[in-house]
Amino acid sequence: MAAPGCSAPGLWVRGSGQCLGSLFTLYSKPLCSAAAAAASRPLDAQRLAERLRAQKQQQKTKEPAPTNPVQRRVRELVRFTEQLQRVHPNVLAKALSRGIVHQDKDLVVINKPYGLPVHGGPGVKLCISDVLPVLAKILHGPKAKPLHLCHRLDKETTGVMVLAWEKEVAHQVQELFRTRQVTKKYWAITVRVPVPEAGVVDIPIIEKEAQGQQHHHKMTLSPSYRVDDGKMVRVRSSRNAQLAVTQYQVLSSSLSAALLELQPITGIKHQLRVHLSFGLDCPVLGDHKYSDWNRLAPQKLSAGILKKLGLQQSKARHLPLHLHACQLTLPALQPQKEELTLLCRPPRYFVNSLRRLGLKMPSRDHSAGDEAAQPGAQSRRSGSLP
């Protein structure tokens, strides 16, 4: 009967072990060396992992920490935006619950942060619609039904955003938006000051393909009139052009920048950004898409604005869009209720840019006013601000 002896591959020892000593002598060195090699492999992998960690740490330490507070804030904002796409949905829902502007049995109004998309899409790992079930459970317990979106804001736009507990209420609010019964006001910091300082931009908007180094689509103006020998001549408009009307007013201005209050009468995609950039030649600060028609490149800023912001042109790509939904007024949803005016403070980077550019925060007579500058956002029923 054969029995296995030493663990060398292909080696069998017959009998009770008479040849075991000689065989052990013959094979002891290869076996020991093989065992030593096997023991060294995990040690080498561990050392390699430690070496890679050390290299990554060295790369991080090589990046000089910016001494300028604005540059530090830009870096913080970039990291925050990236983190929003990596955090767990529960963590994001918790953060949104801390920024609630208003809550009642029908609606929940949040202060939408910068850089967070409302809907999913290519390259989007996390969005507001994904965390609505979790947010509802945080507010109303584990048995709460998911909240419903009532409208949307662009990924880069901050401010008032309305959610509804019931689908029927959400449809009701959506219909109010569609029929232009909701009054919306935005604040925007612009590059340059519009002339005149108050007015209405009434120019249709259409989506076209921009012919540049990179082929891309943008919204642009589709005017119904043109100037011919000093006279306004009506031209045939495209059937794809959409009516777009924006009221604007300068709240504060300097030589190179302005704070505008905007009231969109219509709700066309990117309407405010297109009207400001192509209609008034005053693009929104941090608008890297509509500052130039043919190029997809960081916004080109004047030396004066860069100096005030403490930035270099090479770092302008990190500048966030300075467009904030500061106020929204909803008509009464039921006969016994009053209209609801919702106010939302601008983000910290917006307020810091105002200060650096020498622009003043509006008084209480202008939309959100001083309430927007306070630590908490507020909501109020119809009537004037206290």
Side-chain angles (χ1 to χ4, degrees), residues 156-175:
E156 297 86 3
T157 304
T158 60
V160 181
M161 185 165 188
V162 182
L163 311 172
W165 286 110
E166 301 293 339
K167 186 177 292 186
E168 293 75 14
V169 177
H171 289 163
Q172 186 180 359
V173 176
Q174 290 167 4
E175 184 65 15

Side-chain angles (χ1 to χ4, degrees), residues 143-210:
K143 294 184 179 181
K145 294 182 180 179
L147 287 156
H148 301 275
L149 292 167
C150 296
H151 64 116
R152 67 179 299 277
L153 290 175
D154 291 340
K155 174 182 175 181
E156 297 86 3
T157 304
T158 60
V160 181
M161 185 165 188
V162 182
L163 311 172
W165 286 110
E166 301 293 339
K167 186 177 292 186
E168 293 75 14
V169 177
H171 289 163
Q172 186 180 359
V173 176
Q174 290 167 4
E175 184 65 15
L176 292 175
F177 274 94
R178 191 187 68 81
T179 55
R180 303 173 190 169
Q181 298 182 56
V182 179
T183 302
K184 299 168 286 184
K185 290 186 179 180
Y186 291 75
W187 283 351
I189 299 178
T190 62
V191 178
R192 296 183 289 275
V193 183
V195 179
E197 292 193 349
V200 177
V201 182
D202 184 359
I203 307 177
I205 290 177
I206 191 173
E207 186 171 15
K208 288 185 177 180
E209 183 178 2

Side-chain angles (χ1 to χ4, degrees), residues 194-260:
V195 179
E197 292 193 349
V200 177
V201 182
D202 184 359
I203 307 177
I205 290 177
I206 191 173
E207 186 171 15
K208 288 185 177 180
E209 183 178 2
Q211 301 296 329
Q213 292 182 349
Q214 297 175 315
H215 288 284
H216 56 282
H217 287 80
K218 287 183 180 179
M219 308 301 288
T220 188
L221 302 178
S222 180
S224 302
Y225 295 86
R226 63 180 173 85
V227 179
D228 189 4
D229 293 333
K231 296 180 180 180
M232 296 291 290
V233 179
R234 186 174 180 86
V235 297
R236 184 178 181 181
S237 59
S238 171
R239 66 176 63 183
N240 295 324
Q242 297 175 288
L243 177 67
V245 182
T246 303
Q247 294 181 0
Y248 72 93
Q249 179 183 0
V250 175
L251 302 181
S252 179
S253 63
S254 63
L255 292 176
S256 56
L259 171 65
L260 270 61

Side-chain angles (χ1 to χ4, degrees), residues 45-328:
Q46 184 178 359
R47 287 175 180 172
L48 179 60
E50 292 175 353
R51 193 177 303 143
L52 291 173
R53 291 193 198 101
Q55 289 176 356
K56 288 183 179 179
Q57 190 63 29
Q58 289 177 358
Q59 290 176 357
K60 290 181 180 179
T61 55
K62 285 180 181 179
E63 297 179 5
T67 56
N68 188 289
V70 176
Q71 292 180 354
R72 284 202 303 268
R73 179 59 186 152
V74 168
R75 177 176 289 187
E76 290 174 6
L77 193 64
V78 171
R79 288 178 179 175
F80 175 70
T81 304
E82 293 173 350
Q83 288 170 357
L84 283 175
Q85 294 295 312
R86 294 196 298 262
V87 299
H88 192 277
N90 293 2
V91 178
L92 178 57
K94 190 80 172 179
L96 294 177
S97 69
R98 296 193 193 103
I100 287 180
V101 177
H102 171 84
Q103 183 180 180
D104 57 32
K105 69 181 185 66
D106 294 321
L107 303 174
V108 174
V109 183
I110 61 173
N111 185 356
K112 179 191 170 298
Y114 169 80
L116 184 63
V118 176
H119 298 285
V124 175
K125 298 179 181 178
L126 192 60
C127 60
I128 290 180
S129 61
D130 290 340
V131 301
L132 292 183
V134 183
L135 179 59
K137 292 178 181 179
I138 291 175
L139 299 177
H140 271 193
K143 294 184 179 181
K145 294 182 180 179
L147 287 156
H148 301 275
L149 292 167
C150 296
H151 64 116
R152 67 179 299 277
L153 290 175
D154 291 340
K155 174 182 175 181
E156 297 86 3
T157 304
T158 60
V160 181
M161 185 165 188
V162 182
L163 311 172
W165 286 110
E166 301 293 339
K167 186 177 292 186
E168 293 75 14
V169 177
H171 289 163
Q172 186 180 359
V173 176
Q174 290 167 4
E175 184 65 15
L176 292 175
F177 274 94
R178 191 187 68 81
T179 55
R180 303 173 190 169
Q181 298 182 56
V182 179
T183 302
K184 299 168 286 184
K185 290 186 179 180
Y186 291 75
W187 283 351
I189 299 178
T190 62
V191 178
R192 296 183 289 275
V193 183
V195 179
E197 292 193 349
V200 177
V201 182
D202 184 359
I203 307 177
I205 290 177
I206 191 173
E207 186 171 15
K208 288 185 177 180
E209 183 178 2
Q211 301 296 329
Q213 292 182 349
Q214 297 175 315
H215 288 284
H216 56 282
H217 287 80
K218 287 183 180 179
M219 308 301 288
T220 188
L221 302 178
S222 180
S224 302
Y225 295 86
R226 63 180 173 85
V227 179
D228 189 4
D229 293 333
K231 296 180 180 180
M232 296 291 290
V233 179
R234 186 174 180 86
V235 297
R236 184 178 181 181
S237 59
S238 171
R239 66 176 63 183
N240 295 324
Q242 297 175 288
L243 177 67
V245 182
T246 303
Q247 294 181 0
Y248 72 93
Q249 179 183 0
V250 175
L251 302 181
S252 179
S253 63
S254 63
L255 292 176
S256 56
L259 171 65
L260 270 61
E261 181 182 85
L262 308 168
Q263 185 173 337
I265 307 303
T266 54
I268 307 304
K269 178 183 176 182
H270 297 168
Q271 172 182 320
L272 298 179
R273 297 161 66 180
V274 172
H275 275 172
L276 287 177
S277 184
F278 302 144
L280 295 174
D281 193 29
C282 296
V284 180
L285 181 65
D287 192 345
H288 308 293
K289 183 170 185 176
Y290 288 105
S291 293
D292 189 292
W293 167 248
N294 289 317
R295 297 170 62 235
L296 280 176
Q299 186 179 41
K300 185 72 174 178
L301 297 173
S302 66
I305 289 183
L306 289 172
K307 183 177 180 180
K308 289 181 179 179
L309 293 176
L311 290 175
Q312 299 176 352
Q313 180 59 48
S314 60
K315 301 295 183 182
R317 67 184 184 276
H318 298 308
L319 203 61
L321 184 73
H322 287 64
L323 181 62
H324 175 69
C326 63
Q327 180 175 325
L328 190 147

Side-chain angles (χ1 to χ4, degrees), residues 331-350:
L333 298 179
Q334 298 177 10
Q336 303 299 326
K337 287 192 173 184
E338 300 175 337
E339 71 175 16
L340 182 65
T341 298
L342 305 156
L343 310 174
C344 199
R345 63 183 177 88
R348 185 168 60 178
Y349 71 83
F350 194 104

